Amino acid sequence: MGYIDELGIKAKEAKRSIASAGTTKKDEILKKIAEVLRANVNIILEENARDIAAAKDNGISEAMTDRLRLTKERIDGIADACIQLTSLKDPVGEVIEGFTRPNGMKITKVRVPMGVIGIIFESRPNVTVDAATLCIKSGNAAILRGGKEAINSNKILMKLMQDAVEECGFKREIIQLVQDTSREVSTEMMKANDYIDVLIPRGGKGLIKAVVQNATVPVIETGSGNCHIYIDESADIEMALNITDNGKTQRPSVCNALETCLVHKSVAEKFLPLLKERFASHNVEIRGCKETKRILGDCVIDANDEDYATEYNDYIMSIKVVDSIDEAISHIQKYSTGHSECIVTESLKASEKFQKEVDSACVYVNCSTRFTDGGEFGFGAEIGISTQRLHARGPMGLREMTTMKYLITGDGQIRE
């Protein structure tokens, strides 16, 4: 019997208890997890420091190391997210619709947990808590496989959460961590159809591609974020600067950060030098087209197709000057991963065209793509940002972690 088989058997045994638990009991677990995390900040930070040190030794970039880093403030934020989940409506048991057939048979469609959710993710240890608590609130058991970069942080977070689960009278195994981070065990998890009902990859393009191509377990694909902003000819320049700066530099390592800026030729001469000034304090590297280089000079690195297709997760931005909104939309259609795109414009016609024709999960007018987030959308913590079209799209909160079933009641009907 393989390692994942052992976790899977325990998860299947434990899932019935959490699936049938009432909202009050599930919220009790979430409150206890928040309490335990806050009470053990120093222990968590000690284990996280081991991961940070290893990351530096392995030459991981500062932007990516930031994804890994925990602080007292970030741990407080993680605990706060647990409490926020308790205020959200429990989707389990919701009656979606009901009707009576001509033969008197009553049919009710209700929302239910998926069962055992497997999640494969990279770097950020906060995902360990986000994923576990979302699964608990939505009545699912969880098997979590984080990256080796965060293994020490993930181990202590999972132990503390399991202690909280057990203290509330549930089996520890409703949430489990895959502690073997080898590729072989990861592949084993992707093929664990007997135990895992759905698999959610959360991370970079390489991870997501590997899961989609190798998994036999049904997958909800969360997308890498090659996100774009288009500065229209009618844009308010100060607004455009603020949104572009925020989208690129506030936290460049996350999937909703901007990677490419498309600028209408009529405002490029004015906008680009001001953007360069904004970027200077963060030492943002600019990769641009010939026109961008003409305007900004030799500080611009020549951009190619690979640059425009890259999710940098770093202080790097690709820039292209375009002739029209149609050219901007065509560029996005070619290079976008379908995550989040933004237009800055004062034109209602342009904004409507952009939102209608750009086929991404989230399409913004005059606000930052950094808002593509379950918490910012009011969903509480999220399991990821889905860029596919089946079942879920965009930030995936509690409702997206459920499925439905039909309850049929009769009084002796048989089919003729």
Side-chain angles (χ1 to χ4, degrees), residues 14 17-18 25-26 28-30 32-33 36 136 157-175:
S17 64
I18 193 64
K25 293 297 292 182
K26 291 187 289 188
E28 182 183 317
I29 298 173
L30 300 179
K32 179 57 68 173
I33 288 174
V36 168
I136 289 168
L157 290 171
M158 180 56 71
K159 179 190 180 301
L160 293 171
M161 289 191 293
Q162 286 183 322
D163 289 347
V165 165
E166 198 167 51
E167 191 172 337
C168 292
F170 289 82
K171 291 184 177 181
R172 302 174 66 84
E173 292 80 14
I174 62 173
I175 49 173

Side-chain angles (χ1 to χ4, degrees), residues 1-19:
M1 181 182 294
Y3 175 51
I4 294 298
D5 294 313
E6 294 176 6
L7 297 184
I9 289 170
K10 293 175 182 177
K12 286 190 74 171
E13 290 175 351
K15 75 174 184 179
R16 287 176 58 188
S17 64
I18 193 64

Side-chain angles (χ1 to χ4, degrees), residues 32-288:
K32 179 57 68 173
I33 288 174
E35 178 186 319
V36 168
L37 293 179
R38 288 195 172 104
N40 290 275
V41 168
N42 290 337
I43 296 173
I44 296 169
L45 292 179
E46 286 175 9
E47 294 302 311
N48 182 246
R50 295 174 62 190
D51 291 329
I52 295 294
K56 291 179 178 178
D57 289 343
N58 292 326
I60 295 176
S61 72
E62 179 55 36
M64 294 305 291
T65 301
D66 181 60
R67 291 169 67 98
L68 185 60
R69 182 176 289 109
L70 291 174
T71 62
K72 182 181 184 302
E73 291 72 27
R74 286 185 180 180
I75 294 169
D76 276 338
I78 293 168
D80 287 343
C82 296
I83 300 300
Q84 288 165 10
L85 270 179
T86 67
S87 66
L88 298 179
K89 182 180 178 182
D90 186 349
V92 178
E94 174 192 342
V95 176
I96 299 168
E97 62 177 326
F99 49 92
T100 302
R101 297 295 295 146
N103 64 1
M105 210 165 53
K106 299 183 187 304
I107 300 177
T108 307
K109 186 178 183 181
V110 298
R111 195 170 295 282
V112 296
M114 286 186 172
V116 178
I117 295 179
I119 302 159
I120 299 179
F121 57 99
E122 296 173 325
S123 292
R124 288 188 289 172
N126 65 291
V127 176
T128 304
V129 181
D130 287 350
T133 53
L134 273 166
C135 286
I136 289 168
K137 179 76 177 195
S138 56
N140 295 289
I143 298 176
L144 311 179
R145 193 274 192 191
K148 63 182 179 181
E149 300 87 357
I151 187 62
N152 296 298
S153 304
N154 289 339
K155 281 182 178 180
I156 188 62
L157 290 171
M158 180 56 71
K159 179 190 180 301
L160 293 171
M161 289 191 293
Q162 286 183 322
D163 289 347
V165 165
E166 198 167 51
E167 191 172 337
C168 292
F170 289 82
K171 291 184 177 181
R172 302 174 66 84
E173 292 80 14
I174 62 173
I175 49 173
Q176 297 178 88
L177 178 71
V178 178
Q179 297 193 19
D180 183 338
T181 59
S182 67
R183 183 171 297 179
E184 292 75 18
V185 168
S186 182
T187 301
E188 185 183 337
M189 186 175 175
M190 297 178 202
K191 300 182 184 300
N193 295 65
D194 290 339
Y195 311 110
I196 297 175
D197 295 292
V198 65
L199 190 61
I200 303 173
R202 180 168 171 171
K205 186 177 181 179
L207 168 69
I208 294 164
K209 183 179 180 180
V211 173
V212 170
Q213 290 183 345
N214 292 292
T216 55
V217 174
V219 174
I220 297 178
E221 184 177 350
T222 62
S224 54
N226 187 10
C227 303
H228 299 73
I229 188 167
Y230 166 56
I231 312 304
D232 187 44
E233 58 185 324
S234 69
D236 179 299
I237 297 300
E238 184 65 20
M239 179 191 293
L241 289 168
N242 291 337
I243 293 173
T244 307
D245 187 19
N246 178 260
K248 178 73 267 183
T249 68
Q250 195 227 11
R251 201 172 181 191
S253 61
V254 293
C255 64
N256 57 22
L258 289 173
E259 305 293 6
T260 297
C261 180
L262 305 170
V263 186
H264 193 281
K265 62 182 181 181
S266 66
V267 296
E269 294 271 6
K270 182 177 182 181
F271 175 76
L272 289 177
L274 295 172
L275 182 64
K276 178 186 172 183
E277 287 181 20
R278 287 289 189 98
F279 281 172
S281 62
H282 293 280
N283 295 315
V284 175
E285 178 183 300
I286 296 175
R287 302 182 185 181

